[in-house]
Amino acid sequence: MEKELTEDFWSHDKHLEAARKIHFKRLNGVTYLDHAGATLYSECQLTKLFQDLSTSVLGNPHSRSPSSTRSTEIVEEVRNRVLSHFNVSSDDYAVIFTGNCTAALKLLSESFIFRPDIDLDNECLLSKTVASTKSSQPAFVYLIDNHTSVVGIREVVKSRDVSFRHATEKDVDSFTSFPGGNRHETLGREDILPDTNNLFAFPAQSNFSGQRYPLSWIKKVQGHSGFASHEGNWCVLLDAASYLTTSTIDLKQYHPDFVTLSFYKIFGYPTGLGALLVRTSSAHFLKKNYFGGGTVEASLSTEDFHVKRNDLSHRFEDGTLPFLEILAVKHGFDSLLQVTGSLIRASAHAYDLARYVYSRLSSWHYANGRPLAVLYHNEKFTSCLTQGPIVNFNILNSDGNFIGFAIVEKLAQLYNIHFRTGCFCNMGACEQYLSLTAVQVKNNLKAGHVCGDDVDLVDGRPTGSIRISFGYCSTFGDVQRFLRFVSESFLEHNHIGELSANMANSGGEEENHMNTQVSLQLAPETWTVNDEVRSLVGIRIYLVKSCGGFALTEGEVGQRGLVNDRRWMIINSTGSCISQKREPKLCLIQPSIDKDQKWLTLSYPGFNDLRVDLQNGSHEGGSFQLCHGKVCGDRVVGSDCGEEAAEWLTAVLDKEDLRLVQQTADDERTTSHKSADDEMQPGKLSLANEGQYLLIGTESLRLLLSQMRMRFENGGHTDEDQCMSEEELIERFRPNLIVRTHKPFEEDNWTRLRIGAHTFVNEGLCTRCQMICISQKTGQRSKEPLISLFSLRGKKSTFGILLRRLDDSNAGLLSTGDFVSLVAEN
């Protein structure tokens, strides 16, 4: 396949690699594969924009001052630039600026005249008696493979007695296969009802699969008075947002009535600006009721009187336009040409990159012959006319079962690869390609899955997929890094992953055989075969969330967990708690507290210690001030620890506007997990993400270390990963309780347990993310242990269980050496 890439491809790829070093320095070490979601702005666009802004005085376009006149000129210049991009002029189309593509679709849905006799203020038409027949009801028809924002139009039209229906690609081809008259020629015919206008919507390119639909549909539908069994005029709405990421549409050749788009899809910035393009000969299909500033020639407040502007754009653009964002569009078009040299070449290049990935993924198989991936495409990358630069797929394991997209995304983050997962706001395509029924979708909702979450598998079936997409600045290097990630994570070391395929089984010959195989890989100097009773062998607390922890021989239990565990947090200017995922250096902050709990001390290499007076409030002797923060979306009430702490954190982490905050005693944050006993009240929660206590088992650690060593022996990771000790592995998982167990992951199935004098309930498994790949000694990232954990666990890569104490009204201690026993439920 690589040999099939042309000399022109390699020439343009070399050009783009050079351009990226100049205009996309921030992409160094990053593989960005979500251009269908949002393409990237170039540094040259921002540089020229800021130069323009810093040297220009631009006023409100609704005024007549020189600064306002200049803004007006820029707006009109950009309108013409947009039209030029589509090879037309203002004689052919009008550009109506909107907030984004969705806003353009909403505007059209509210303005389109489906029933001239009702929607227009025309006494003659109003006086007509219209026969109440099924054929006279106007229709909104949309291709099933459409963005949610298009499908949402049906909610507007059904309130106006307009029928709606979805259509497949075959439906549209069938509808347009019968002869129909020209729309404008049939307007005066008596056998065609003059009281109905209909709307058909389809995307130029599917944002799910990248399939490009025939633009020839436009003329066929417009000229078909009986399209979809509905008489009357037919207009066509073309959603061009996804298509325009790497291509443009010649509106001289194709004449959709309406085109919607977002500019950030084309060149990344600005993000808050889109447009509705209206064909001038189709303007009479629109009527606007509301009028805002700048849209009227005259109006009265004392009478029901106003006259809208004649110019279509000005009539539909309510209020002051975002004229500075519109200026950014000008520089966006300039930078697009500067970076690519030719949009046509960039489009072909992005397509070739996607075609290469598609070819590799579709040909890769496991050693047993099973395919690596399921690809969701009707078009097989035979032509850039029918397929855009998008590859959509799910990964399978060697048994043929789906691997959830959430775990694939987590593993990709270890390689700093960015792509999108889910259904991409296109449920129609998701239903089709994933064979999801309406019943399944509704049942998934009942099971807790909502759009945008990480519930990737329900009953073993995917709820969404993985989408990678290429843009005007993508290179072959991006492809190589992505394919290397897939190969290393799922293909090359799959035989290691098979080691644990049945670890969750409880008993049986297969499990016994598996354990025998595992024991051959264990490190005897560190681990021994465990036939001892279960007991608590380690206790840890983390005073400041996401900072260093320390071990205890005994810990006091409280109503939120271990006393002082995750009692403090560091927040930014928005009130959000920062974590190691965003700021790895947090792990190097080592908090401690004196035995009388009078002083909290924070240490960091190379800096003087910070001491916070917990009794008197702050060094200045004043009291802590009440503030609010956010942890995992929860609103937390806390006390600010003062300016000295803030200045110390700013110096240590080299970030502005950081505050140290202590959770107040009366904060009402609670656990969100449900235990086996659904009638139990939720427990109080510290600043921990999910549970009061996090417990891990020694035998689970033992097996994971074995897995990591085997991966190293097979070339799976670096020497640094192989040298990870048991202690460092524990540090990365950040548990509160470490329990000596009998076998790996037995703790997953515990319902209730007793540690010493205290009873706990299991509230669920702890799903792990890339944070466990941060060394707690250096702050450096690696790929382990998450990759080995995925090989062991698959699915959600869980490790450890979340506990809640049942007898939280009683104080007491947990001590290392306490016996651990399982409690039978009544």
Side-chain angles (χ1 to χ4, degrees):
M1 176 67 189
E2 189 169 342
K3 294 180 180 179
E4 296 177 17
L5 299 173
T6 65
E7 183 177 341
D8 185 65
F9 171 90
W10 292 114
S11 173
H12 191 66
D13 194 75
K14 185 177 181 180
H15 165 80
L16 287 178
E17 286 284 8
R20 274 175 54 151
K21 292 179 181 178
I22 299 172
H23 303 301
F24 298 89
K25 299 184 185 73
R26 64 190 186 279
L27 282 181
N28 184 31
V30 177
T31 303
Y32 185 83
L33 299 175
D34 190 23
H35 292 271
T39 200
L40 299 175
Y41 55 82
S42 65
E43 293 173 23
C44 63
Q45 178 192 4
L46 297 188
T47 298
K48 292 180 179 178
L49 171 61
F50 292 148
Q51 286 176 347
D52 217 343
L53 291 173
S54 61
T55 57
S56 303
V57 179
L58 301 174
N60 190 315
H62 291 170
S63 300
R64 298 188 51 161
S65 65
S67 57
S68 301
T69 301
R70 179 56 189 144
S71 295
T72 301
E73 291 172 350
I74 290 173
V75 169
E76 298 311 315
E77 287 173 11
V78 174
R79 282 194 214 277
N80 291 330
R81 187 69 178 272
V82 172
L83 293 171
S84 176
H85 189 70
F86 294 96
N87 193 32
V88 289
S89 69
S90 57
D91 293 334
D92 307 302
Y93 280 84
V95 177
I96 300 171
F97 288 115
T98 61
N100 48 32
C101 183
T102 296
L105 291 164
K106 184 172 181 288
L107 176 63
L108 177 63
S109 71
E110 296 169 343
S111 306
F112 186 76
I113 302 170
F114 285 97
R115 293 179 180 273
D117 58 319
I118 296 175
D119 295 334
L120 287 176
D121 294 329
N122 188 312
E123 292 183 2
C124 177
L125 286 174
L126 284 173
S127 65
K128 287 181 61 177
T129 300
V130 179
S132 178
T133 63
K134 185 175 181 180
S135 61
S136 68
Q137 186 181 31
F140 167 58
V141 178
Y142 55 92
L143 194 69
I144 191 172
D145 184 0
N146 251 312
H147 194 278
T148 298
S149 297
V150 175
V151 180
I153 293 176
R154 73 187 185 197
E155 297 303 304
V156 177
V157 304
K158 71 182 183 182
S159 66
R160 298 164 62 184
D161 193 29
V162 175
S163 68
F164 61 87
R165 63 164 296 180
H166 65 266
T168 65
E169 184 180 5
K170 289 182 179 180
D171 291 335
V172 178
D173 288 334
S174 174
F175 294 154
T176 56
S177 64
F178 300 100
N182 180 279
R183 180 174 70 195
H184 302 290
E185 291 177 354
T186 60
L187 286 180
R189 284 171 45 187
E190 293 182 359
D191 59 328
I192 299 297
L193 293 174
D195 61 322
T196 55
N197 296 323
N198 307 285
L199 185 63
F200 171 61
F202 76 99
Q205 173 179 292
S206 168
N207 74 316
F208 185 96
S209 67
Q211 179 175 351
R212 292 183 167 178
Y213 290 100
L215 297 180
S216 59
W217 281 356
I218 298 170
K219 185 176 181 180
K220 290 180 178 180
V221 172
Q222 289 171 335
H224 207 296
S225 61
F227 177 75
S229 301
H230 282 268
E231 301 280 351
N233 305 316
W234 275 96
C235 295
V236 174
L237 159 61
L238 184 69
D239 177 10
S242 178
Y243 187 92
L244 295 177
T245 299
T246 57
S247 302
T248 188
I249 298 170
D250 187 350
L251 295 182
K252 278 289 187 185
Q253 180 179 359
Y254 303 102
H255 311 296
D257 300 279
F258 313 105
V259 181
T260 56
L261 60 99
S262 282
F263 289 103
Y264 76 93
K265 299 282 188 178
I266 305 175
F267 31 70
Y269 184 84
T271 56
L273 191 66
L276 171 65
L277 275 56
V278 179
R279 191 181 180 190
T280 52
S281 61
S282 302
H284 63 284
F285 289 110
L286 301 181
K287 181 202 174 190
K288 185 165 172 286
N289 292 317
Y290 174 82
F291 65 92
T295 64
V296 294
E297 301 284 358
S299 68
L300 287 173
S301 297
T302 55
E303 290 184 21
D304 183 8
F305 171 81
H306 73 278
V307 177
K308 293 186 176 70
R309 290 191 180 275
N310 289 324
D311 182 87
L312 185 66
S313 298
H314 295 161
R315 192 189 322 154
F316 277 82
E317 292 169 343
D318 292 307
T320 300
L321 285 172
F323 53 93
L324 299 183
E325 284 75 9
I326 291 174
L327 173 61
V329 172
K330 170 186 178 297
H331 293 293
F333 281 120
D334 290 341
S335 65
L336 186 63
L337 183 60
Q338 180 178 346
V339 172
T340 65
S342 165
L343 184 58
I344 295 176
R345 288 185 70 189
S347 177
H349 190 78
Y351 169 79
D352 283 338
L353 294 175
R355 182 168 62 98
Y356 188 92
V357 172
Y358 175 86
S359 174
R360 284 292 183 268
L361 290 181
S362 59
S363 63
W364 279 354
H365 292 74
Y366 291 107
N368 61 7
R370 292 184 183 273
L372 169 74
V374 175
L375 290 105
Y376 303 116
H377 291 273
N378 289 328
E379 300 297 324
K380 308 303 180 185
F381 283 84
T382 56
S383 170
C384 61
L385 298 178
T386 57
Q387 177 64 47
I390 292 175
V391 182
N392 197 304
F393 61 97
N394 268 316
I395 298 288
L396 303 171
N397 64 22
S398 59
D399 293 328
N401 297 316
F402 286 97
I403 297 173
F405 59 73
I407 185 60
V408 178
E409 189 170 30
K410 285 181 182 179
L411 294 175
Q413 290 170 2
L414 302 180
Y415 290 75
N416 214 353
I417 295 175
H418 304 220
F419 50 67
R420 187 169 173 183
T421 60
C423 278
F424 325 106
C425 294
N426 189 336
M427 276 306 301
C430 215
E431 290 174 66
Q432 283 189 313
Y433 285 105
L434 274 61
S435 300
L436 291 172
T437 66
V439 172
Q440 286 176 310
V441 172
K442 293 174 183 177
N443 287 340
N444 289 349
L445 177 62
K446 291 179 181 178
H449 169 55
V450 297
C451 291
D453 67 16
D454 63 353
V455 179
D456 48 17
L457 296 175
V458 175
D459 297 329
R461 298 292 304 174
T463 62
S465 60
I466 302 162
R467 183 188 71 186
I468 65 170
S469 51
F470 298 92
Y472 70 97
C473 60
S474 299
T475 67
F476 192 69
D478 296 324
V479 167
Q480 290 176 308
R481 288 184 288 273
F482 170 75
L483 292 177
R484 175 173 171 259
F485 149 67
V486 173
S487 175
E488 290 183 357
S489 300
F490 304 103
L491 275 182
E492 293 180 9
H493 306 287
N494 179 255
H495 62 285
I496 299 173
E498 291 173 355
L499 171 76
S500 60
N502 298 286
M503 285 308 301
N505 292 345
S506 56
E509 293 182 357
E510 189 171 19
E511 180 191 2
N512 294 332
H513 171 73
M514 192 67 65
N515 285 333
T516 301
Q517 296 297 316
V518 172
S519 66
L520 297 176
Q521 301 295 332
L522 299 179
E525 73 278 6
T526 305
W527 303 100
T528 58
V529 176
N530 182 24
D531 57 3
E532 302 176 59
V533 296
R534 299 185 183 97
S535 62
L536 184 62
V537 296
I539 304 172
R540 307 215 172 191
I541 64 171
Y542 310 85
L543 297 171
V544 182
K545 184 176 174 63
S546 239
C547 294
F550 58 91
L552 303 172
T553 55
E554 61 180 25
E556 182 181 355
V557 295
Q559 291 187 337
R560 302 178 187 275
L562 289 170
V563 171
N564 288 326
D565 181 51
R566 296 173 174 92
R567 183 77 185 278
W568 289 265
M569 64 179 175
I570 300 170
I571 64 172
N572 58 22
S573 58
T574 66
S576 296
C577 176
I578 63 172
S579 72
Q580 289 185 31
K581 283 191 283 188
R582 297 295 183 194
E583 185 47 73
K585 290 194 296 183
L586 284 173
C587 68
L588 302 180
I589 296 178
Q590 184 59 58
S592 62
I593 193 169
D594 69 302
K595 64 178 181 179
D596 296 324
Q597 299 191 21
K598 294 181 178 180
W599 293 92
L600 173 69
T601 301
L602 302 186
S603 303
Y604 189 89
F607 286 80
N608 293 328
D609 290 352
L610 168 72
R611 297 188 74 207
V612 180
D613 188 342
L614 300 180
Q615 286 191 324
N616 297 320
S618 66
H619 263 142
E620 292 77 15
S623 60
F624 289 161
Q625 294 189 359
L626 196 66
C627 66
H628 297 90
K630 288 175 285 186
V631 176
C632 297
D634 295 340
R635 188 170 180 267
V636 176
V637 180
S639 300
D640 191 297
C641 293
E643 293 301 324
E644 186 174 354
E647 292 171 3
W648 188 87
L649 290 171
T650 296
V652 163
L653 299 176
D654 194 25
K655 289 184 180 297
E656 298 292 333
D657 300 322
L658 299 179
R659 313 293 300 187
L660 180 64
V661 173
Q662 179 181 357
Q663 185 183 26
T664 61
D666 57 353
D667 180 57
E668 298 182 353
R669 188 169 183 246
T670 59
T671 58
S672 59
H673 283 269
K674 285 187 176 182
S675 65
D677 186 350
D678 289 342
E679 296 181 0
M680 292 174 54
Q681 295 298 316
K684 292 183 178 180
L685 189 61
S686 67
L687 302 176
N689 283 359
E690 297 179 284
Q692 292 180 343
Y693 302 83
L694 174 59
L695 178 150
I696 63 174
T698 55
E699 292 303 296
S700 303
L701 281 168
R702 183 185 185 195
L703 181 62
L704 182 56
L705 281 170
S706 171
Q707 183 85 345
M708 291 171 62
R709 292 184 181 118
M710 283 189 293
R711 285 186 59 83
F712 173 75
E713 292 168 3
N714 286 274
H717 49 69
T718 64
D719 290 336
E720 290 81 359
D721 291 327
Q722 194 271 340
C723 294
M724 193 181 302
S725 65
E726 173 194 343
E727 175 60 26
E728 183 173 1
L729 192 58
I730 292 173
E731 288 177 349
R732 293 192 180 205
F733 284 121
R734 300 174 67 83
N736 297 118
L737 309 174
I738 307 163
V739 171
R740 179 185 290 118
T741 50
H742 292 163
K743 59 184 180 181
F745 303 114
E746 64 169 311
E747 60 271 19
D748 293 1
N749 298 315
W750 296 348
T751 302
R752 296 194 182 196
L753 62 151
R754 193 167 182 83
I755 305 177
H758 304 280
T759 304
F760 300 84
V761 62
N762 183 349
E763 291 198 311
L765 305 182
C766 182
T767 301
R768 297 302 184 161
C769 64
Q770 67 271 24
M771 187 167 153
I772 63 174
C773 296
I774 299 172
S775 168
Q776 300 299 291
K777 289 183 171 60
T778 66
Q780 299 298 310
R781 298 179 188 270
S782 63
K783 295 182 177 65
E784 290 289 5
L786 188 58
I787 286 183
S788 289
L789 182 61
F790 165 70
S791 296
L792 277 173
R793 309 306 312 271
K795 297 182 179 179
K796 294 295 185 181
S797 294
T798 57
F799 196 94
I801 59 175
L802 303 168
L803 299 181
R804 173 152 53 97
R805 191 166 67 101
L806 294 183
D807 46 350
D808 60 4
S809 61
N810 300 320
L813 295 176
L814 288 173
S815 302
T816 55
D818 283 346
F819 291 131
V820 176
S821 58
L822 305 187
V823 179
E825 293 188 82
N826 294 331

